[in-house]
Amino acid sequence: MKNCALLLVDVQNDFCPGGSLAVTQGDAVIAPLNRLISFFTEHQHPVFASRDWHPQNTTHFASSGGSWPEHCVQGTRGAAFHPQLSVTKEVQVLSKGQGEREDAYSAFDARDDGGELLGQRLEKEGVTHLYIGGLATDYCVKATVLDALKAGLAVTVIEDAIAAVEVQKGDGARAMEEMQRAGANFTRSQDIGTPP
Ligand code: VGL
Ligand code: ZN
């Protein structure tokens, strides 16, 4: 587990049941992710969380010609992390999609409060292997996984800690295939940190 980090992608109210862009069973990712936050933290591995953090007016939203209903508008309840997610002080939060002409599906477009990109933070911490879970499998998780692989990182997707939007039925399964073809590995949360 040396040089490993955990990345939680967009576990925000708007992507969970009741939210404006709800993913079916989006909140089912929370229990496995909370266990992993504890495990990684106890073993001194870094934990990062990205959040979709849009302005009120953005070409990302259908109201301005984009694809999506309004979601994760900066400072709103919908943009907050799900209240059950253990965003402890060890979790490093990065925000993406603040531009008015920016989709920013990938967490590699996310920056911390000091303006540093996720990739820079990972490099500084010597991370070479990223464990990834969160929302949504067919958009932000997929884009993040593909960018991580492009950056030369080993990637393990936690398959019980992701859920898909499924604009088209089967998008989730297709995204899994695409991530696998690109070189991602898959595991289940209970198999992390336990000997085989
Ligand atoms: C996402 C659609 C629009 C995601 C973000 O987090 O997967 N999907 N914005
Ligand atoms: Zn978005």
Side-chain angles (χ1 to χ4, degrees):
M1 290 289 291
K2 204 169 168 298
N3 303 323
C4 287
L6 175 65
L7 172 60
L8 323 173
V9 177
D10 301 3
V11 185
Q12 293 166 272
N13 287 321
D14 272 340
F15 298 124
C16 292
S20 66
L21 185 40
V23 171
T24 308
Q25 301 211 24
D27 52 350
V29 307
I30 294 168
L33 288 177
N34 281 345
R35 286 197 302 275
L36 291 174
I37 292 168
S38 304
F39 177 82
F40 276 73
T41 302
E42 278 164 23
H43 292 82
Q44 277 83 46
H45 298 301
V47 180
F48 299 91
S50 68
R51 60 182 184 182
D52 221 25
W53 199 243
H54 299 301
Q56 181 73 55
N57 291 303
T58 164
T59 56
H60 185 61
F61 294 163
S63 50
S64 303
S67 310
W68 304 104
E70 271 188 27
H71 61 276
C72 300
V73 173
Q74 296 165 13
T76 61
R77 188 176 170 280
F81 289 117
H82 190 286
Q84 255 120 51
L85 187 72
S86 326
V87 187
T88 57
K89 63 179 188 329
E90 287 85 3
V91 177
Q92 306 184 48
V93 175
L94 300 101
S95 307
K96 64 183 175 66
Q98 291 107 314
E100 291 183 353
R101 308 183 149 270
E102 191 190 9
D103 289 313
Y105 293 117
S106 170
F108 281 78
D109 294 330
R111 296 177 186 271
D112 65 15
D113 285 342
E116 267 194 334
L117 286 162
L118 173 63
Q120 298 173 298
R121 301 261 352 110
L122 295 174
E123 209 166 295
K124 274 197 183 161
E125 303 218 21
V127 174
T128 56
H129 186 164
L130 208 47
Y131 284 78
I132 299 178
L135 305 170
T137 309
D138 35 0
Y139 288 92
C140 290
V141 170
K142 182 180 87 171
T144 301
V145 166
L146 297 179
D147 274 353
L149 292 165
K150 268 186 221 149
L153 299 167
V155 176
T156 302
V157 178
I158 308 144
E159 61 190 26
D160 55 321
I162 57 175
V165 177
E166 300 258 330
V167 173
Q168 306 282 342
K169 199 173 171 332
D171 281 353
R174 279 188 289 274
M176 302 273 283
E177 283 163 17
E178 198 176 333
M179 293 187 277
Q180 185 161 35
R181 272 200 306 275
N185 294 300
F186 292 83
T187 191
R188 289 191 301 184
S189 58
Q190 64 264 35
D191 296 332
I192 296 173
T194 48

